[in-house]
Each structure stands twice: as C-alpha cells, then as structure tokens.
Amino acid sequence: MLSLLWLIVALPLCGFLLLAIFGRKFTKTVAGIIGVGTVGLSALLTILIGISFIAGLSHTKIYVQTLWQWFYVNGFNPSIAFHLDSLSMVFIFVITFVGFFIHLYSAEFMYDEEGEYSQFFAYMNLFVGSMLILVLADNLLLLYLGWEGVGLCSYLLIGFWYKDPANGTAARKAFIVTRVGDTAMAVGLFYLVMNFNTLNLSSILSSAQQQWPSGSVMAFTASILLLGGALGKSAQLPLQTWLPDAMAGPSPVSALIHAATMVTAGVYLIARTNILFILSPPVQTIVAIIGTLTLLLAGFSALTQYDIKRVLAYSTISQIGYMFLALGVGAWSAAIFHFMIHAFFKALLFLGAGAVIISLHHEHNMFKMGGLRKEMPVIFYTFLIGSASLAALPLITAGFYSKDEIIWFSWSSSIGNPWLWIGAIIGAFTTAIYTFRMVFITFFGDTKMKPHKKPGNLILIPLVVLAVLSVIGGFIQTPSSLGGVSIFSSFLNLTLPAVITNHFSEGFEIFFQVITVVLALLGIYIAYILYARRRPAERNKSAAANFLLYGWGFDWIYDRLFVRPIVWLAEIDRHDFIDYFYILIAWITGLGNTILKQTQTGKLRWYAMGLVIGAILTISIVLLS
C-alpha cells in the first residue's frame, strides 16, 4: 500500500490537468465530479496508507519513495522523491481530508457564482497538489517547488473574481509580500547547498547535527533565512499584512488557505527542519517571541473588525502565532496538534461564514446581520461549535486541549518563560471575546436581513462533519493532569524531538489550567454583556479602534516606507537610457519597414525590374568571388 504514496499527489494534479485543458468542454456537474472526486480519492488513499504506515511502524519509522532523478549537476542530484513519516502523515491527512470537504462545499457554493466553474476547481486541485508536494518532499528543492506552487495558487484564487479591481490588488499584495519571505528562503537554500552540496532533508539534518556546534554562526544563518520564508507564508510579524486582504477570494478559498494549505506551510517548514533551529537557540527564541507578539497583535485587531471573514483572518494569524510560540519553546508536537485541530474548526468557521454570506446577498458586515440562529439553525449550531473550539471552551472542545498544551509549555518548557505564558493567556482571553462577539452579533438579536436562499446538503454535510471533529479531535491528546493519554505526542515523537520541561507537579499544572479556563469563560461572559444583552453601535470610530481595525498601521507604514518610494523611483526611471536603447531598435525596425514598404507598389514592371537587377547582382557576385 505504501508504494501507492505517489498517487496521493498525482490524483489532484491529474484533476488539475483535466480541468485546465478540457474544462470548458465539461458541464458544471462533470467539472465538479472531477474536482471533488480526485481530492476525495486522494483522501481515501491517505487513510488507507495511514493505516498501513501505522501498522508497520515497528519495522520502519520513515518510508521514502524515489520516483526519478530530477537532474545532475556537478554532484548535486536532487530527486523527485517523497518522504513519509509521522509529521508528513498528519499533514497529508489534514490537507486531503479537510481539503475534500472544502471541495465538496465548493461544488454548491460556486455553482451560480461569477467565474469559470471548471477553472476554479482546476486552481483548487493545483493548490492541494502543490501543498502535498511541499509536505511530502524528500528534499528542500522539491519542497520549494510546492512552496512556490501554493504561492501561485493563492494569487490565482484570491483574485478569482478579478473584475473587481480590489480583488486583483489583494491577490498582488499576497503574492508580493510572500515573495519577500520566499527570497530569504531561497537564499537559505543556496546557503545549505554551499555547506552540504545537497538539499536532501535527512542528509542536511544529520550532517548539521554532526558538523555545526550549538550556537554556531552557520546554524544561525541557515535557520534565520528559513524563518524568513516561514514568516511570509504563515503571515507572521512583520509579513502578516497580506492575509486579511486575502478575504477578497471566495469563502472556500479562504477556508483552504487558512485550514489546509498556505499559512500552515511555515509551521511545517520549521517543524521539519527542527534540528537547525535547535542548533540555534537565539533563532528559536525569536520564533517564540514573534509568535507571541503576533497572536496578541492579531487578537486585538480582531476585536474591532466588522467583516465576519476579516475577524476569522486575524484569528488565523493569531492561532498560527500560537503554533510559532510552541515551536519556539520546543513543544514541537503541541504545535502540530494545534495545527490539526485548528484546521478542523477554522475550516468549519470559514465555511459557516461563507454559507451566511451567500445566503444574505454576499453581505460581509456582521452588524447588518443578526437573529440568524432562528433562520439558519444548522449553520448556527455548527458555527457555535467551531467558535467554542476556537475560544477553547474547557473539556468539551478540541481547541481547549490543543491550546492549553501550548500555554502550559510556554511556562513549563526548559526554554519557556513567564512573559511568553502571560502573552499566551492574554491571547486566549482576547480570543474568547472576539470569537463570541462574532457569534452574538451575527446570530443573536433582531433579524436585519432575511436569508434569500437556504444552503443545500453539499454545504451542510461538510459543516456537520467538521463540527464533530472540532469536538472529538482533542481527545487523542488529553493532559495527564486530567487523567488523559498522549496518543498524538507519542506518534509524532517518532519524528520530532520531545519537549524538555522543568519539573512541576500535576497540581501545579492543574492550577495553570484553571487560570486558562477562568479567563476563557470570562472572555465569553464579557462578549455576552457587550454584544448580546445590548446591541452596540455598528462601529467604534475612536482613533484607538481605527488603529486596531487597520492592523496597527502596518499597511500605512509599509506604504510610506516601501510602496510610495518604489513607485516614485519607477516614475523617474520610466524613460531611462535602457528604454531609449529599445526605442532606437523599434525606430530602426520601423524605418526598415517604411523603406521596404515602398517596394510593394503593385506594378508588374517594377517587380520584373527588381528580379533582373537581383539576378545581375547575384551573377556578378558569383563571377567576382
């Protein structure tokens, strides 16, 4: 069964090729079956291969499948090869399983929407295929191919409704901002090749462990450059500005970007190259600090948003911040656990928000909604479950177990500290407020807009499945202080190093868990007081609220530091000497055309004379040479 690993990647890519080449000849039904079916088959195959892989763990912890050698240049010979271990197994499960339900939802959501239906599914399939290449790649060059593939697909899908100029602007912004990080990552790959003459992941990590001492300049350089790439793709400080604007794309695109692809790529990259970060403690500390600052800044911005999708966008930035915090304190499996649980509830929330938006004539403003719990009960209850998991409602939601583990390790890890813990619990408190602010404004109070259409089964089924996973998913990793078992950590520790913790009693851990629970419940209660018991004004127009609404002014700063100066220089440089060089070539070409045009008179005697003169010149050249 493991020998069929390549099919997991090939199926979505085949779907992309079929839809891209023949899509316009297909009916919408056929295009939907190909788009959804190929990802569904990939998900089914992932489950079967996962069973086979887990059953064979006693024999091998890693399975490598080499398909062919890519190229060979002076001893540098990367292959098209896939690497399956416990880490990549978790990622391909989330990508294909969650991706399948997002595709199923899209089949109904996009059916009557503007844009080419088959083209949309072609892009979505390529997105899934690129992300699968990224997480299964046996070498960093192949990983980079998938890395750039998801960047391309994000551009195509964020700007899918390109007739609105704002959507095209958002797509370009996502592409350009992430290129900043990608440039750092590309330089990092060159640096690794220069040191090891290979980009094979296993070879690099084993060689680095043997050749680079802890704290060495080489380890610092390699890890800080890879971190640059991770910050761009995962929308972390200071490259987080593209993600809120990425909400310009259709809601299924938002769900796919936030839950199963794109923004989780940075988390995967750091986890996969964990040895390099362990060898560079300063960079690992930077990862933790960036994660903490990002989760706080994004959480506070989410408090002021009125577009339901932008609330969720800032929420994603914040939750990825938690994952970076976990990676930074060495809680590798906790970061991946939260990645998986986050994929369940964030896909659910985006799909639920999309169902609300499409039912209300594409209205995004929460303050123009209200009372929808009675109008759309299935969507309300599933959205409520996803929100409870995001807010880490204790004991009964998966989000509680994944986030609580990160908060605990931010204190108890040997490289954790109280400041990181304080940031984490403030973030949890803020999350509870903005999440239930969204729920109370959207679904409670008076009904302001009546839904003009009811979602069908293709929309409702994914919501119900993801809601179930958002509840039961956490029970595979329950804390020992609550009498639980760590199935997930045991599985991941086959690939990732275990977190090194300081010694604390279980009673101490329970005390910290109680603090987290109290703050989460308090946040929900505050949201109830402010947004359920009374209807607030549509928007707080104070300077502080505007500052948070527009993302702490990062776009304003970047516009003045980078965008305007570059545009100004481009205007100055519009007619530089290089332009005049090409203008001269064009002028000479045009002059030649004008001269030759004079020979085309349409008069037979001129053509005959031309032939005679040509013949005389030719004969003369032959005789004289």
Side-chain angles (χ1 to χ4, degrees):
M1 182 59 72
L2 290 176
S3 61
L4 297 178
L5 180 63
W6 64 275
L7 264 179
I8 293 176
V9 179
L11 285 166
L13 294 180
C14 286
F16 159 70
L17 289 174
L18 284 172
L19 293 167
I21 298 171
F22 306 109
R24 295 194 175 184
K25 298 180 180 179
F26 294 148
T27 64
K28 286 188 175 182
T29 301
V30 173
I33 290 172
I34 293 172
V36 178
T38 51
V39 178
L41 289 173
S42 185
L44 178 61
L45 190 58
T46 297
I47 293 172
L48 296 175
I49 286 178
I51 294 171
S52 177
F53 177 75
I54 293 171
L57 280 179
S58 57
H59 304 293
T60 178
K61 299 177 183 178
I62 296 173
Y63 175 74
V64 177
Q65 183 178 56
T66 302
L67 300 180
W68 64 84
Q69 184 175 298
W70 197 345
F71 57 84
Y72 181 91
V73 178
N74 195 28
F76 179 64
N77 56 339
S79 300
I80 302 295
F82 298 134
H83 174 110
L84 183 66
D85 59 11
S86 56
L87 177 61
S88 51
M89 188 73 244
V90 172
F91 270 83
I92 63 172
F93 167 73
V94 170
I95 294 164
T96 58
F97 192 76
V98 176
F100 164 69
F101 283 106
I102 293 172
H103 275 68
L104 185 64
Y105 173 100
S106 302
E108 180 178 333
F109 186 94
M110 295 299 295
Y111 198 83
D112 297 320
E113 293 301 301
E114 181 185 1
E116 186 67 40
Y117 191 72
S118 60
Q119 185 182 55
F120 175 81
F121 276 107
Y123 293 161
M124 292 282 277
N125 277 28
L126 181 60
F127 211 161
V128 170
S130 297
M131 191 66 188
L132 288 169
I133 290 173
L134 192 159
V135 300
L136 283 172
D138 186 52
N139 61 80
L140 284 167
L141 188 61
L142 185 59
L143 184 151
Y144 195 68
L145 175 67
W147 188 273
E148 292 303 316
V150 296
L152 169 65
C153 294
S154 68
Y155 169 76
L156 295 172
L157 286 166
I158 292 168
F160 185 74
W161 289 324
Y162 60 88
K163 292 182 180 179
D164 183 346
N167 297 343
T169 300
R172 289 196 304 274
K173 182 178 180 181
F175 193 78
I176 293 168
V177 173
T178 54
R179 290 290 75 70
V180 175
D182 292 357
T183 302
M185 181 178 172
V187 174
L189 299 189
F190 281 114
Y191 185 78
L192 291 171
V193 169
M194 184 178 70
N195 280 272
F196 302 111
N197 198 37
T198 183
L199 284 177
N200 181 273
L201 277 160
S202 300
S203 300
I204 287 174
L205 297 181
S206 60
S207 299
Q209 208 165 13
Q210 295 169 11
Q211 298 175 24
W212 289 351
S214 179
S216 66
V217 174
M218 293 82 73
F220 177 89
T221 304
S223 55
I224 200 73
L225 288 169
L226 293 179
L227 174 60
L231 295 179
K233 276 289 186 288
S234 291
Q236 297 293 284
L237 282 172
L239 300 177
Q240 81 285 3
T241 56
W242 67 270
L243 193 56
D245 289 353
M247 299 305 96
S251 294
V253 173
S254 302
L256 195 62
I257 289 175
H258 289 247
T261 62
M262 190 69 172
V263 295
T264 60
V267 176
Y268 174 80
L269 178 66
I270 296 175
R272 173 58 71 199
T273 58
N274 62 82
I275 297 298
L276 299 179
F277 288 85
I278 291 172
L279 290 173
S280 182
V283 177
Q284 198 171 348
T285 301
I286 291 171
V287 172
I289 292 172
I290 287 175
T292 305
L293 291 176
T294 304
L295 72 90
L296 289 172
L297 267 63
F300 280 109
S301 286
L303 288 170
T304 61
Q305 304 300 313
Y306 51 88
D307 182 329
I308 189 171
K309 285 178 66 177
R310 286 181 75 90
V311 175
L312 295 174
Y314 278 108
S315 168
T316 297
I317 298 172
S318 182
Q319 297 307 304
I320 299 291
Y322 272 107
M323 298 175 208
F324 270 64
L325 169 59
L327 295 169
V329 298
W332 310 97
S333 62
I336 305 307
F337 182 42
H338 193 54
F339 149 74
M340 184 180 74
I341 300 303
H342 175 263
F344 297 151
F345 66 67
K346 189 53 62 68
L348 168 60
L349 290 171
F350 266 112
L351 298 183
V356 170
I357 290 167
I358 199 173
S359 299
L360 299 179
H361 303 279
H362 290 275
E363 180 58 63
H364 286 234
N365 190 335
M366 298 184 296
F367 290 92
K368 294 182 180 179
M369 300 175 186
L372 294 178
R373 73 184 190 280
K374 299 174 184 177
E375 305 289 340
M376 310 172 77
V378 175
I379 291 174
F380 165 65
Y381 284 112
T382 54
F383 196 90
L384 181 63
I385 290 170
S387 299
S389 193
L390 171 58
L393 199 66
L395 301 179
I396 59 172
T397 62
F400 165 74
Y401 295 105
S402 62
K403 191 182 294 183
D404 175 76
E405 190 173 25
I406 294 174
I407 294 172
W408 168 241
F409 283 134
S410 68
W411 177 284
S412 64
S413 167
S414 59
I415 50 178
N417 66 66
W419 291 110
L420 297 176
W421 177 79
I422 290 171
I425 62 169
I426 292 174
F429 176 63
T430 308
T431 301
I433 297 175
Y434 73 66
T435 301
F436 276 85
R437 168 184 179 266
M438 175 176 60
V439 171
F440 292 135
I441 292 173
T442 304
F443 293 98
F444 287 75
D446 299 327
T447 302
K448 297 181 179 179
M449 294 181 68
K450 287 279 187 180
H452 77 282
K453 63 182 291 187
K454 297 291 185 181
N457 289 332
L458 294 184
I459 286 179
L460 296 179
I461 290 172
L463 296 180
V464 172
V465 173
L466 291 169
V468 172
L469 291 173
S470 297
V471 173
I472 66 172
F475 293 108
I476 62 173
Q477 180 70 15
T478 53
S480 57
S481 60
L482 298 177
V485 291
S486 302
I487 299 173
F488 193 81
S489 288
S490 300
F491 177 64
L492 270 182
N493 285 344
L494 296 169
T495 301
L496 299 171
V499 59
I500 302 173
T501 62
N502 296 310
H503 296 291
F504 293 104
S505 66
E506 286 190 356
F508 199 69
E509 183 178 353
I510 291 174
F511 172 72
F512 275 69
Q513 288 168 343
V514 169
I515 294 175
T516 306
V517 167
V518 168
L519 286 175
L521 294 176
L522 179 61
I524 295 172
Y525 180 70
I526 290 173
Y528 170 75
I529 295 296
L530 294 178
Y531 301 103
R533 290 182 60 175
R534 62 186 180 88
R535 299 299 288 176
E538 179 173 328
R539 177 179 163 189
N540 185 341
K541 296 183 180 180
S542 67
N546 279 333
F547 181 65
L548 296 176
L549 177 68
Y550 294 109
W552 297 70
F554 276 89
D555 280 318
W556 185 90
I557 294 170
Y558 291 162
D559 181 62
R560 280 151 183 81
L561 281 181
F562 302 110
V563 178
R564 292 188 183 185
I566 290 172
V567 171
W568 179 72
L569 289 172
E571 290 290 341
I572 293 175
D573 199 42
R574 175 174 290 183
H575 299 299
D576 59 10
F577 73 94
I578 295 177
D579 288 332
Y580 285 118
F581 173 73
Y582 288 106
I583 290 170
L584 176 63
I585 292 176
W587 181 82
I588 293 172
T589 304
L591 178 64
N593 173 263
T594 302
I595 294 171
L596 291 173
K597 188 169 63 176
Q598 301 306 315
T599 65
Q600 304 300 310
T601 62
K603 296 179 179 178
L604 184 61
R605 61 180 178 271
W606 283 97
Y607 298 155
M609 185 176 69
L611 288 172
V612 171
I613 292 172
I616 293 170
L617 289 173
T618 303
I619 294 169
S620 300
I621 291 169
V622 171
L623 293 175
L624 295 174
S625 60

